[in-house]
Amino acid sequence: MVLRGLFLLLLLVQFSAEGTAKEGGKPKKGKKGKQVICPSQLSAEDLDRVPANSTSNILNRLLVTYDSRIRPNFKGIPVEDKVNIFINSFGSIQETTMDYRVNIFLRQRWNDPRLRLPTDFKSDSLTVDPKMFQCLWKPDLFFANEKNANFHDVTQENILLFIFRNGDVLISMRLSVTLSCPLDLTLFPMDTQLCKMQLESFGYTTKDLVFMWQSGDPVQMDEIALPQFDVKQEDIEYGNCTKFYPGTGYYTCVEVIFTLRRQVSYVKAIDIWMIACLLFGFASLVEYAVVQVMLNSPKRIEAEKAKMAQKDKEREKEGKTPPKANTVNGTGGTPIHVSTLQVNQTVTD
């Protein structure tokens, strides 16, 4: 019985091992896209197959000993990353969520001495396939006040990569970013909002990496029309927002501040109708006030009083007894209030 149990146990172990091997042999489903093979991962035979005078050979020579895990000027001066942004579109401000969305070209330029082009390369710059971006060291820039962001890859990854003769690297990528913007609605609807975009380093302190705005106009945009706000190129401001985190140190940060002024200049049909109604109502009140002032003026009251006194005298001459209440208010005294109806009635009497 013991031998029989051992035999069954061996069979179970064998079947489970075969099943595991079959499952391991099946390709796992994952994200689409081919894995990028950097020149440093190629064998000597693969490198020898590339023609000596080709651009591919120059790129291989630059990257065959390149280590993307190490920043340029390691243990030396910090890398200076010059940033500029082109704004394709500016989404409307959301008061409920206090954020806004922009579509931008984010461009960064830094120098990497390891990527200086050889003298036998005649051009001043080398345009590189965007997939090779994964083989290079790059600044770890992120948006500090970002809520949501995504790259664009239709029809290809929207990334542009240049390497210049002196070793400068220029990267441009298209992004859509939703950024937080705390709103002050105290003066609504005549308010002006200041919305920031902060670009910060995540892992490199200021000893290794420094962000700076490109000289000139680092943030450019065409004329942008928003349904409620007006934003202009000349109202853009720039600042430094370098931050200190206890335990880790200072981290480089630059910011751009957009001034958004709410537009209230356009007129709608309902506004015209409301204004007309208010004007007619106000004119009616003014007319009523003017008529009351004219009817109750002291001169008019004195004139009516004199006219009634003259009529009483004429009746006395004719021998008629004057009525007890010979005034418009029936009290025999000075009239307190004279209206059009009262004046006409008195004259008729």
Side-chain angles (χ1 to χ4, degrees), residues 73 78-82 109-111 208-212:
N73 306 318
V79 178
E80 294 182 352
D81 185 12
K82 298 179 181 179
R109 183 165 181 163
W110 67 93
N111 183 266
D208 295 317
L209 179 62
V210 175
F211 289 149
M212 59 182 62

Side-chain angles (χ1 to χ4, degrees), residues 231-252:
V231 55
K232 296 181 179 179
Q233 175 81 42
E234 54 267 23
D235 293 334
I236 296 178
E237 299 179 2
Y238 307 95
N240 187 301
C241 54
T242 297
K243 302 175 183 178
F244 174 76
Y245 296 96
T248 54
Y250 289 91
Y251 291 83
T252 181

Side-chain angles (χ1 to χ4, degrees), residues 330-346:
T331 61
T334 302
I336 298 177
H337 177 78
V338 179
S339 64
T340 306
L341 179 60
Q342 291 171 331
V343 172
N344 292 335
Q345 183 177 1
T346 304

Side-chain angles (χ1 to χ4, degrees), residues 5-15:
L6 290 174
F7 179 73
L8 291 175
L9 181 61
L10 289 174
L11 288 177
L12 289 174
V13 171
Q14 183 177 359
F15 284 137

Side-chain angles (χ1 to χ4, degrees), residues 87 90-95 98-102 179-185 189-196 221 224-237 256-263:
I87 300 178
F90 204 111
S92 59
I93 309 299
Q94 300 294 330
E95 286 84 359
M98 290 197 176
D99 56 31
Y100 68 101
R101 187 169 178 82
V102 289
L179 303 167
S180 63
C181 179
L183 304 179
D184 183 6
L185 302 176
M190 305 294 294
D191 56 325
T192 298
Q193 304 297 337
L194 299 177
C195 293
K196 297 181 179 181
M221 63 181 179
I224 295 177
L226 297 177
Q228 295 185 10
F229 290 91
D230 183 29
V231 55
K232 296 181 179 179
Q233 175 81 42
E234 54 267 23
D235 293 334
I236 296 178
E237 299 179 2
V256 55
I257 305 173
F258 302 101
T259 301
L260 304 171
R261 294 181 173 85
R262 196 179 296 271
Q263 298 175 3

Side-chain angles (χ1 to χ4, degrees), residues 105-328:
F105 291 150
L106 174 63
R107 300 163 180 157
Q108 303 178 73
R109 183 165 181 163
W110 67 93
N111 183 266
D112 192 339
R114 298 171 294 178
L115 297 177
R116 290 174 181 168
L117 297 178
T119 55
D120 56 341
F121 186 73
K122 304 303 180 183
S123 180
D124 292 331
S125 62
L126 175 62
T127 304
V128 185
D129 189 294
K131 294 184 178 62
M132 298 304 298
F133 182 61
Q134 301 179 23
C135 301
L136 302 179
W137 178 92
K138 51 267 188 187
D140 57 344
L141 181 148
F142 78 101
F143 294 89
N145 59 330
E146 170 258 327
K147 286 187 174 182
N148 186 25
N150 62 277
F151 291 93
H152 293 269
D153 54 3
V154 179
T155 59
Q156 294 289 333
E157 290 183 328
N158 296 174
I159 297 177
L160 181 68
L161 180 59
F162 284 107
I163 298 177
F164 294 90
R165 179 168 296 280
N166 63 345
D168 280 2
V169 180
L170 173 63
I171 180 71
S172 176
M173 58 183 65
R174 182 168 170 248
L175 305 172
S176 290
V177 190
T178 301
L179 303 167
S180 63
C181 179
L183 304 179
D184 183 6
L185 302 176
T186 305
L187 301 178
F188 179 87
M190 305 294 294
D191 56 325
T192 298
Q193 304 297 337
L194 299 177
C195 293
K196 297 181 179 181
M197 178 189 296
Q198 295 184 333
L199 291 73
E200 184 180 347
S201 171
F202 186 82
Y204 290 102
T205 64
T206 52
K207 296 180 180 179
D208 295 317
L209 179 62
V210 175
F211 289 149
M212 59 182 62
W213 289 114
Q214 180 181 288
S215 59
D217 291 329
V219 177
Q220 311 98 31
M221 63 181 179
D222 293 331
E223 186 175 352
I224 295 177
L226 297 177
Q228 295 185 10
F229 290 91
D230 183 29
V231 55
K232 296 181 179 179
Q233 175 81 42
E234 54 267 23
D235 293 334
I236 296 178
E237 299 179 2
Y238 307 95
N240 187 301
C241 54
T242 297
K243 302 175 183 178
F244 174 76
Y245 296 96
T248 54
Y250 289 91
Y251 291 83
T252 181
C253 176
V254 292
E255 65 181 6
V256 55
I257 305 173
F258 302 101
T259 301
L260 304 171
R261 294 181 173 85
R262 196 179 296 271
Q263 298 175 3
V264 292
S265 58
Y266 61 92
V267 180
K268 302 184 289 291
I270 187 65
D271 297 331
I272 299 175
W273 185 84
M274 288 295 297
I275 292 173
C277 292
L278 290 174
L279 290 177
F280 275 111
F282 182 73
S284 300
L285 292 175
V286 171
E287 181 185 12
Y288 175 78
V290 170
V291 171
Q292 290 298 317
V293 170
M294 293 177 62
L295 291 178
N296 296 316
S297 63
K299 292 183 179 180
R300 186 180 181 86
I301 293 175
E302 291 297 329
E304 292 295 333
K305 184 178 179 181
K307 186 185 294 185
M308 288 186 290
Q310 182 66 28
K311 185 176 288 189
D312 291 341
K313 290 180 180 180
E314 292 177 355
R315 287 180 179 177
E316 289 178 358
K317 288 181 180 180
E318 294 175 358
K320 296 181 179 179
T321 303
K324 295 181 179 180
N326 58 353
T327 58
V328 293

